[in-house]
Amino acid sequence: MAVFAAVDKEVTRNNTIIFSSINNDTLQIDQQFTRFKTWISEMKSESCRSELAALLCPLFCRLYLEMLRGGHRQSVAKFFKRHQSLFVSREHSRELVEELACIYSNQDIDTSPVVKAFRSCKYRVHLSSESMGLLQKYLSLHGHVIILQVLQTWFDFEIGGTVKMEEEEEEDDVNDRRSITKTIENVSKNAKPPDSEAELRELQEIIRSVREGPPSPSPLLLYTIANTDNNVACGYTWGAVDLLAAGLGSEVRLWGLTQNMTFRTPNPNISQVRLACDVGASSETSCTESNTACLRGHSGSVQSIVQAPDGLLVSVSHDTTMRAWRMDDLSCAAIYRGHNYPIWCVDMSTLGVYVATGSHDRTARLWSLDRTFPLRIFAGHNQDVEAVQFHPNSSYLATGSTDKTVRLWAVADAKLVRVFPGHKGAVQTLAFSPDGKYIASAGEDRRVRVWDLAAGTMLVELKGHTHTILGLSWSRDSECLASCGLDGVVRVWNVRSHPSNLSSTSYSSDLVASYATGCSSLLSVQYSLTNTLVCVGVV
């Protein structure tokens, strides 16, 4: 009703074409095309006849596909058989017409690359003034809505020249056609496209180049720690980038990176001794707020730290223990024992339910923060487990070891699911892509390997670092991978461009960006919630 009301408000014949659609009467389509073809063939002027004859092939193909889309298979076969001889003899149209002969259903239209490319194209037709005048006269006297609709939707008319095909990819079937199509009304007035339409075309080209081109590098935010005593073993930030935690010897040192991130340190009155009867009494203990804090309790060097939900921080140490710390009062909430040798790495599951640790005892262990003993033991590596990482769905755990392999385990039953061999040195770091399809691993061999989890094969190997790689992080769209290490350089790689069949080749040309930080070593790299690269280094 809205369409008909809009049509009724316009009095010209041309405007009604805009609201019309291809007629499903196949007999009418055949008659109109035959009439148009006969009119061109009987034209006296040879130059006009040759110019307008170039319209027949694309018009024929468009009508054929529209009829096939409407489900008229028998009529389509008759229509094709009756008119195909007109185009087979012409070299520029033979390939397309031969391809149409093999199209029998809508599924064939979608699977044929030639037909698919044709349907995403428009014809720009350059006609002389005389030819354009004759075409306008014919359309005004004998033009049917079928012919007019196709000419308006899929043809661009300009004055002078010959016919050529210009591809315009359909990123949006409706909006792009409305913005690109030059209507016959504009052609009849011999008008050039308005500036706004030219700007739209330019904007579409820019959008297409951005989508198809390499991703732009993210800005880098670097935090450096002065390693005066050479005892900084690890340093991390997390999604919100409001906290920096580092292991300095047996201490966990904290820095608040925002104004709201402060730590309350109690200052007890040492001249008083509180008794049990003073529990209900008001506390006069004062607290000082600072943007730095220190957590003490471990007896060995702190090797790794991870942030946990409910305001907790988890650290693992050379002293074979894991500790959970309360951030509100900086106290130790629990001590977890189970490993027999130093613990090198720790990771928290996506939902904060489980914690995984890897140790010198060649095992990885699964923990729950409300129990001080391990729930699962993942045994199978021949040497130290140097890296652990939960899959985004928390159902799988990946481990990297000094035995140069990466193993994928099921969290539910601790069974081995995949083994990824191929590294030439110890695997020091792992990272799952956010979409859960890939895992990246790196370490002492100075190369980043990306593995396809479903196929169990290597997707690509990225080389360029000159020293051990300690940190990996994926961008939030799973297209870019950042790496850092002891060479003090952050490298960002484009992983999107690699199909799965490139499994045995090393690549260095996929480098999107390289940041020389000037640090002696980089401890970690992380994409923040705003897709900014955040790196922690040592100077």
Side-chain angles (χ1 to χ4, degrees):
M1 292 175 61
V3 171
F4 283 128
V7 173
D8 291 338
K9 292 180 181 179
E10 304 293 340
V11 296
T12 65
R13 177 191 177 101
N14 289 332
N15 283 322
T16 63
I17 303 170
I18 300 174
F19 302 102
S20 65
S21 60
I22 293 294
N23 196 327
N24 287 326
D25 188 351
T26 57
L27 180 61
Q28 188 71 250
I29 294 176
D30 196 349
Q31 292 177 352
Q32 291 299 322
F33 180 77
T34 303
R35 188 174 189 175
F36 186 61
K37 180 181 67 173
T38 304
W39 172 74
I40 294 178
S41 62
E42 294 177 351
M43 195 171 293
K44 297 181 180 180
S45 174
E46 182 177 355
S47 59
C48 294
R49 183 169 63 251
S50 61
E51 288 182 1
L52 294 173
L55 298 174
L56 293 176
C57 180
L59 180 61
F60 168 77
C61 296
R62 288 290 173 188
L63 294 175
Y64 179 88
L65 294 175
E66 292 295 340
M67 292 168 64
L68 191 60
R69 282 286 188 186
H72 307 286
R73 292 191 178 184
Q74 295 181 354
S75 302
V76 164
K78 295 179 181 178
F79 179 73
F80 183 84
K81 185 177 181 180
R82 186 177 294 111
H83 301 289
Q84 65 172 339
S85 58
L86 181 66
F87 311 109
V88 173
S89 59
R90 300 182 181 181
E91 183 177 356
H92 70 277
S93 59
R94 184 186 302 115
E95 180 183 359
L96 181 58
V97 174
E98 290 177 351
E99 187 70 22
L100 288 180
C102 303
I103 303 299
Y104 303 104
S105 63
N106 292 335
Q107 185 177 3
D108 295 337
I109 295 177
D110 298 330
T111 56
S112 173
V114 176
V115 175
K116 190 175 181 180
F118 174 77
R119 295 188 73 245
S120 62
C121 297
K122 295 182 62 177
Y123 268 80
R124 175 172 293 173
V125 183
H126 297 259
L127 300 177
S128 63
S129 301
E130 183 181 0
S131 299
M132 191 66 209
L134 292 174
L135 179 61
Q136 291 175 350
K137 184 177 180 180
Y138 173 84
L139 294 176
S140 62
L141 297 176
H142 309 290
H144 190 271
V145 64
I146 299 172
I147 303 297
L148 291 171
Q149 178 74 15
V150 175
L151 291 178
Q152 176 164 317
T153 306
W154 297 107
F155 288 79
D156 283 341
F157 293 92
E158 293 183 358
I159 302 301
T162 58
V163 181
K164 69 175 182 178
M165 188 173 74
E166 176 180 304
E167 293 192 5
E168 298 284 359
E169 296 186 4
E170 291 182 325
E171 295 181 359
D172 187 333
D173 291 340
V174 177
N175 295 332
D176 285 6
R177 290 175 185 175
R178 288 180 178 175
S179 63
I180 297 176
T181 304
K182 296 178 185 178
T183 60
I184 294 181
E185 293 90 324
N186 289 336
V187 175
S188 63
K189 298 177 182 179
N190 193 19
K192 296 183 178 180
D195 293 339
S196 59
E197 185 175 341
E199 293 174 357
L200 281 175
R201 289 190 177 187
E202 183 178 0
L203 179 60
Q204 289 170 353
E205 290 296 330
I206 294 174
I207 294 174
R208 185 182 296 112
S209 63
V210 170
R211 288 178 178 176
E212 297 177 354
S216 57
S218 301
L220 177 67
L221 179 61
L222 176 64
Y223 293 99
T224 58
I225 303 173
N227 191 16
T228 55
D229 298 330
N230 198 27
N231 62 347
V232 179
C234 60
Y236 303 94
T237 61
W238 292 277
V241 197
D242 56 353
L243 174 67
L244 170 61
L248 278 72
S250 61
E251 300 177 353
V252 178
R253 193 70 60 86
L254 305 176
W255 290 271
L257 303 180
T258 62
Q259 294 181 352
N260 297 329
M261 179 56 70
T262 58
F263 309 101
R264 294 172 58 87
T265 305
N267 295 322
N269 187 350
I270 60 174
S271 64
Q272 295 180 354
V273 178
R274 293 181 59 83
L275 303 177
C277 60
D278 298 328
V279 172
S282 61
S283 176
E284 297 179 358
T285 303
S286 62
C287 296
T288 59
E289 292 188 356
S290 175
N291 63 345
T292 62
C294 185
L295 306 177
R296 297 183 177 92
H298 285 291
S299 58
S301 61
V302 176
Q303 298 295 326
S304 184
I305 307 168
V306 67
Q307 196 174 37
D310 301 325
L312 295 177
L313 199 69
V314 178
S315 61
V316 295
S317 170
H318 199 275
D319 62 7
T320 74
T321 67
M322 178 176 71
R323 289 176 179 253
W325 308 86
R326 299 187 186 92
M327 297 299 296
D328 53 355
D329 59 1
L330 305 180
S331 63
C332 181
I335 302 175
Y336 304 86
R337 293 182 173 89
H339 284 288
N340 301 320
Y341 290 91
I343 305 175
W344 303 127
C345 53
V346 63
D347 188 44
M348 176 71 62
S349 65
T350 306
L351 300 177
V353 178
Y354 296 117
V355 178
T357 56
S359 170
H360 178 62
D361 61 12
R362 305 180 183 180
T363 67
R365 302 188 184 225
L366 186 72
W367 309 78
S368 177
L369 292 181
D370 56 358
R371 290 174 173 82
T372 59
F373 53 86
L375 305 179
R376 305 268 193 282
I377 298 178
F378 304 90
H381 284 290
N382 299 323
Q383 297 185 42
D384 298 24
V385 178
E386 300 277 358
V388 290
Q389 183 77 26
F390 278 99
H391 190 273
N393 65 11
S394 300
S395 298
Y396 300 96
L397 177 70
T399 57
S401 171
T402 310
D403 64 8
K404 307 175 186 179
T405 65
V406 177
R407 293 173 182 253
L408 187 67
W409 312 80
V411 172
D413 53 10
K415 289 186 178 180
L416 183 64
V417 179
R418 292 276 193 279
V419 179
F420 302 101
H423 278 283
K424 300 178 182 179
V427 179
Q428 299 282 347
T429 180
L430 300 169
F432 280 101
S433 61
D435 59 13
K437 296 181 180 179
Y438 310 107
I439 183 174
S441 58
E444 292 181 355
D445 60 1
R446 300 171 292 178
R447 296 189 179 187
V448 180
R449 291 173 180 254
V450 180
W451 309 87
D452 188 325
L453 295 177
T457 57
M458 186 180 70
L459 178 68
V460 64
E461 185 181 66
L462 306 170
K463 59 182 181 179
H465 282 280
T466 58
H467 212 305
T468 301
I469 301 173
L470 298 180
L472 292 172
S473 181
W474 289 83
S475 61
R476 299 178 67 83
D477 56 6
S478 300
E479 293 184 354
C480 292
L481 179 66
S483 59
C484 69
L486 297 181
D487 56 3
V489 178
V490 179
R491 295 179 181 270
V492 182
W493 314 88
N494 178 20
V495 186
R496 175 182 60 181
S497 59
H498 293 288
S500 58
N501 59 354
L502 303 178
S503 58
S504 60
T505 311
S506 299
Y507 287 87
S508 59
S509 60
D510 301 293
L511 190 65
V512 176
S514 179
Y515 304 94
T517 62
C519 297
S520 59
S521 64
L522 297 175
L523 303 176
S524 68
V525 64
Q526 186 73 35
Y527 273 96
S528 68
L529 296 177
T530 58
N531 219 38
T532 300
L533 268 177
V534 183
C535 193
V536 179
V538 176
V539 294

